[in-house]
Amino acid sequence: MKRLFVFFLSISILTSCAELQQVVESLPQGGGLSNADMATGLRQALDLGIDKQVTKLTKKDGFYKNELVKILLPEELQKVDDALRKIGLSSLADSGIKALNRAAEDAVKEATPIFINAVKDITFNDAKNILLGEDDAATNYLTTKTQTELYNKFKPVINNSFSKVGADQIWTNLITKYNNLPLTNNVNPDLTDYVTSEALNGVYKMIALEEKEIRNKVSSRTTDLLKKVFALQD
């Protein structure tokens, strides 16, 4: 990591061609990569994370049976869940949680084109900062570039998905039953906003998981360019 830092610092200062050449020669084998190679290597890493991890989330049970990203109930609805289970409606409560996750699985299908566009824009400076950063630096870059657009894209899809997977009817039934119980305060949560935010969190969490694998496991670097680029941060 120190060698990589010296390399980039030397590029920015450019004190002399001789000094720059000396720094380049001091890098690990394969370190003499072009600016374009570095940016392309980071794009490959993010593309791999999107293809391998985000695709999983779009499949049936991609959220519901993945404990890392499974969408649980917001705090306001925990009391709804508890109350319904106490009166023998556990299966209804379970179906409500499953419906939220089904909507997220449906919405994430919209994410890939937005991610691909963001990845295309990675520059050498972006690549430099990412390689010098933490294990989730590439994911944080992607989050900054896509979060607002993805939220705006996800929200209407999730709203429609609630109808498609029956979540709206299930949750109307759940909340109506709860609100009709004696000694309870009525609830009316914004589930669309909640599931949208949770779906986004799940997407970025899975990409970060793949990024960490590529950074820390040589065997996860599946192309020659990935091996060369990430060797600089080993």
Side-chain angles (χ1 to χ4, degrees), residues 16 30 34 55 58 81-82 89 102 117 124 154 157 163 172-173 180 183 186 190 199 203 207 211 218:
S16 74
S34 71
T55 301
T58 67
D81 185 80
D82 292 342
L89 294 176
R102 289 285 182 267
N117 286 334
F124 170 64
F154 274 24
V157 174
S163 297
T172 296
N173 189 19
N180 286 335
L183 304 176
N186 286 1
D190 185 350
V203 166
I207 293 175
E211 179 185 356
V218 175

Side-chain angles (χ1 to χ4, degrees), residues 8-16 19:
F8 287 123
L9 186 61
S10 297
I11 288 178
S12 63
I13 297 174
L14 290 175
T15 54
S16 74
E19 289 176 358

Side-chain angles (χ1 to χ4, degrees), residues 8 12 19 25 31 43 46 58 67 76 83 95 99 119 130 135 161 163 183 203 212 219:
F8 287 123
S12 63
E19 289 176 358
E25 290 174 353
R43 291 189 197 107
L46 283 170
T58 67
E67 293 302 319
E76 183 181 7
S95 67
V119 170
I130 289 168
D135 280 353
S161 293
S163 297
L183 304 176
V203 166
K212 188 174 181 179
S219 60

Side-chain angles (χ1 to χ4, degrees), residues 4 8 34-43 46 121-133 137-138 141 211 215 229-230 232-233:
L4 182 60
F8 287 123
S34 71
N35 295 359
D37 285 340
M38 283 190 158
T40 301
L42 263 296
R43 291 189 197 107
L46 283 170
D121 292 336
I122 289 179
T123 66
F124 170 64
N125 283 333
D126 294 328
K128 174 184 67 175
N129 292 331
I130 289 168
L131 279 172
L132 286 168
Y141 166 86
E211 179 185 356
R215 284 184 183 273
V229 169
F230 282 93
L232 296 176
Q233 56 102 69

Side-chain angles (χ1 to χ4, degrees), residues 57-145:
L57 298 178
T58 67
K59 301 183 184 301
K60 184 178 179 181
D61 292 327
F63 274 85
Y64 186 64
K65 290 189 177 179
N66 183 340
E67 293 302 319
L68 286 174
V69 296
K70 182 178 180 179
I71 299 174
L72 302 176
L73 296 180
E75 185 176 351
E76 183 181 7
L77 290 182
Q78 292 291 343
K79 58 186 178 183
V80 177
D81 185 80
D82 292 342
L84 293 176
R85 292 182 190 280
K86 286 176 181 177
I87 61 173
L89 294 176
S90 294
S91 61
L92 184 60
D94 289 338
S95 67
I97 294 174
K98 183 181 289 186
L100 299 185
N101 286 272
R102 289 285 182 267
E105 291 156 10
D106 196 43
V108 171
K109 295 171 185 175
E110 303 290 324
T112 301
I114 295 172
F115 281 138
I116 289 172
N117 286 334
V119 170
K120 286 178 182 176
D121 292 336
I122 289 179
T123 66
F124 170 64
N125 283 333
D126 294 328
K128 174 184 67 175
N129 292 331
I130 289 168
L131 279 172
L132 286 168
E134 301 296 330
D135 280 353
D136 60 352
T139 306
N140 288 336
Y141 166 86
L142 204 57
T143 303
T144 300
K145 293 289 185 180

Side-chain angles (χ1 to χ4, degrees), residues 195-215:
V195 174
T196 299
S197 297
E198 290 296 294
L200 281 173
N201 290 340
V203 166
Y204 294 125
K205 185 177 289 187
M206 294 305 292
I207 293 175
L209 183 68
E210 186 64 22
E211 179 185 356
K212 188 174 181 179
E213 285 281 309
I214 292 172
R215 284 184 183 273

